[in-house]
């Protein structure tokens, strides 16, 4: 394990908003940043020193990134297997590939966590339409084992009426079938683990989803101290057992005053964007510290916060700079836009952190026309 010092270069695979915010933190700390992304002028490319425009599985581009970087990290978990293997053997990739492999595959992910003695939704592997017919129970959720995010590749089965569509998915993709968890809340915890095994946990975030996409994070989460402690303990246990390095975001359900784990992501997470304005150390700075071998920063919350995502649906697509009617004008609102050239429905364009009293922030958010009229729901 090495220490990467300012003026050295952090190479990031992926140039979206997570890499952009990682880059802001890295640059603030004096690092150079190089990003690899297929899209020219990508959100992170705009704010980095070097932008390599190429497909993620373009080995020449991966090698170029490696040749100019002192450490490699990533902003998403679906890195091509060959590229990952090469990076692990030929570059400094402190996060390794183990946690990535676990988080890339929903069956392996659920099995790994339940083998730690931590509760997950009851699940089984579905490798054919026959297997689904044999194992079906209602209500349940069928998910592809790979490449699903924001609810993609997921079918909720409430009754037999939902079966035909699910059978089609099961015939074409490897899936897992999960029992539907009757949760009262969704929460998440982001934990950082350093190269020396030190961990630091950010405050638990309460997450409100709309159409399977994160809409708001509320911190402190409105949960009991018992549930809060359990969430934190599980996060730490999972990070330690996986020997994770860098950030690990863990999405959880609250059921009957206890925690059921949904999924993990070895990277900064949308539900941790609140940390930028509300914590001593942001999740992005923390990730940079962890992968660079620096001591971790304090995760103390210095104000309550409501993070509201801005999707393409919320913007005037013809004139994206016209934000006047929206939340950003609030005096306690901190605006973060990602520099995406085109607004599309459901595309994450930015977020706002509303600082201060949670009830006031929720009221203020609800009073904004675009967030209040449910037009995108
Ligand atoms: P995921 O892609 O696994 O994060 O799922 C997206 C969303 O679907 C979650 O945030 C939950 O709201 C819902 N969901 C996923 N799995 C389950 C489950 N087993 N039971 C109930 N809701 C679920």
């Amino acid at each position: 394990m090495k220490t990467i010092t300012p003026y050295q270069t952090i190479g990031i695979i992926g140039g979206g908003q997570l890499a952009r915010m990682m880059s802001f933190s890295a640059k603030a700390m004096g690092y150079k940043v190089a990003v690899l992304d297929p899209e020219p002028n990508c959100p992170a490319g705009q704010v980095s020193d070097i932008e390599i425009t190429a497909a993620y599985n373009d080995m020449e581009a991966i090698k170029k990134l490696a040749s100019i970087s002192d450490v490699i990290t990533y902003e998403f978990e679906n890195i091509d297997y060959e590229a990952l293997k090469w990076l692990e053997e030929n570059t400094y990739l402190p996060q390794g590939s183990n946690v990535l492999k676990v988080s890339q595959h929903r069956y392996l992910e659920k099995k790994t966590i339940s083998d730690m003695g931590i509760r997950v939704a009851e699940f089984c592997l579905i490798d054919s339409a026959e297997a689904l017919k044999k194992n079906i129970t209602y209500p349940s959720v069928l998910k592809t084992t790979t490449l699903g995010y924001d609810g993609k590749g997921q079918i909720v089965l409430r009754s037999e009426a939902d079966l035909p569509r699910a059978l089609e998915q099961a015939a074409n993709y490897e899936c897992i079938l999960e029992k539907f968890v009757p949760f009262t809340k969704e929460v998440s915890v982001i934990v950082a683990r350093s190269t020396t095994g030190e961990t630091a946990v950010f405050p638990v975030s309460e997450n409100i989803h709309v159409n399977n996409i994160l809409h708001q994070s509320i911190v402190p989460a409105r949960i009991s101290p018992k549930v809060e402690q359990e969430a934190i303990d599980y996060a730490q246990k999972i990070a330690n057992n996986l020997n994770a390095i860098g950030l690990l975001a863990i999405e959880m359900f609250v059921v009957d005053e206890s925690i059921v784990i949904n999924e993990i992501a070895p990277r900064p997470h949308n539900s941790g964007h609140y940390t930028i304005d509300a914590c001593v150390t942001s999740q992005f700075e923390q990730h940079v510290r962890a992968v660079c071998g620096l001591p971790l920063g304090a995760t103390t919350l210095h104000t309550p916060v409501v993070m509201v995502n801005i999707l393409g649906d919320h913007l005037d697509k013809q004139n994206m700079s016209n934000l006047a009617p929206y939340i950003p004008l609030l005096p306690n609102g901190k605006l973060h836009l990602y520099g995406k050239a085109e607004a599309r429905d459901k595309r994450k364009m930015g977020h706002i952190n509303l600082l201060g009293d949670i009830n006031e922030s929720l009221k203020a958010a609800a009073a904004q026309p675009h967030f209040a009229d449910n037009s995108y729901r």
Side-chain angles (χ1 to χ4, degrees), residues 106 109-110 120-122 139-143 148-152 154 156 158 177-183 186 207 209 211-214 251-253 260-264 269:
R106 286 187 193 276
E109 179 180 56
K110 287 247 148 49
V120 296
E122 268 183 55
S140 56
V141 189
L142 185 75
K143 302 179 180 178
Y149 68 96
D150 288 344
K152 293 190 178 102
Q154 284 195 25
V156 177
R158 294 187 195 284
L177 183 69
E178 291 178 17
K179 272 208 174 147
F180 192 87
V181 178
F183 59 83
E186 292 190 78
N207 301 322
H209 293 87
N211 290 335
N212 277 324
I213 300 176
L214 185 64
E251 292 182 47
M252 312 173 175
F253 301 121
V260 173
I261 302 294
N262 180 26
E263 62 176 0
I264 62 172
H269 195 263

Side-chain angles (χ1 to χ4, degrees), residues 231-248:
I232 289 170
D233 290 348
Y234 283 167
Q236 244 158 349
K237 184 169 176 183
I238 293 170
N240 282 330
N241 283 7
L242 290 174
N243 278 322
I245 286 171
L247 291 189
L248 192 64

Side-chain angles (χ1 to χ4, degrees), residues 61 106 126 130 203 205-206 224 264 286 315 318 338 353 369:
R106 286 187 193 276
I126 300 292
E130 265 51 59
S205 164
E206 173 182 342
S224 68
I264 62 172
Q286 194 77 306
L315 295 179
Q318 305 315 316
Y338 306 147
N353 287 328

Side-chain angles (χ1 to χ4, degrees), residues 163-324:
L163 191 56
R165 210 158 63 90
L167 286 172
E168 198 182 317
Q169 176 161 306
N172 291 303
Y173 301 95
E174 186 189 59
C175 294
I176 62 167
L177 183 69
E178 291 178 17
K179 272 208 174 147
F180 192 87
V181 178
F183 59 83
T184 49
K185 271 190 200 305
E186 292 190 78
V187 298
S188 59
V189 176
I190 294 169
V191 53
R193 193 165 172 278
S194 74
T195 49
T196 58
E198 174 197 7
T199 58
V201 184
F202 284 100
V204 181
S205 164
E206 173 182 342
N207 301 322
I208 316 275
H209 293 87
V210 174
N211 290 335
N212 277 324
I213 300 176
L214 185 64
H215 172 47
Q216 289 178 333
S217 293
I218 299 167
V219 187
R222 296 165 300 178
I223 51 177
S224 68
K226 173 195 172 274
V227 169
E228 183 186 13
Q229 195 54 52
E230 196 170 295
I232 289 170
D233 290 348
Y234 283 167
Q236 244 158 349
K237 184 169 176 183
I238 293 170
N240 282 330
N241 283 7
L242 290 174
N243 278 322
I245 286 171
L247 291 189
L248 192 64
I250 302 165
E251 292 182 47
M252 312 173 175
F253 301 121
V254 180
V255 197
D256 299 333
E257 280 295 282
S258 78
I259 291 287
V260 173
I261 302 294
N262 180 26
E263 62 176 0
I264 62 172
R267 54 167 170 79
H269 195 263
N270 194 167
S271 67
H273 291 357
Y274 78 88
T275 60
I276 299 174
D277 299 303
C279 288
V280 172
T281 308
S282 78
Q283 62 165 343
F284 300 101
E285 178 183 338
Q286 194 77 306
H287 185 70
V288 170
R289 284 174 177 249
V291 297
C292 288
L294 305 178
L296 299 178
T299 53
T300 321
L301 187 75
H302 50 64
T303 169
V305 55
V306 175
M307 191 270 334
V308 185
N309 260 348
I310 302 173
L311 304 183
D313 317 48
H314 301 134
L315 295 179
D316 174 355
K317 296 192 183 69
Q318 305 315 316
N319 181 11
M320 290 194 292
S321 58
N322 175 27
L323 289 166

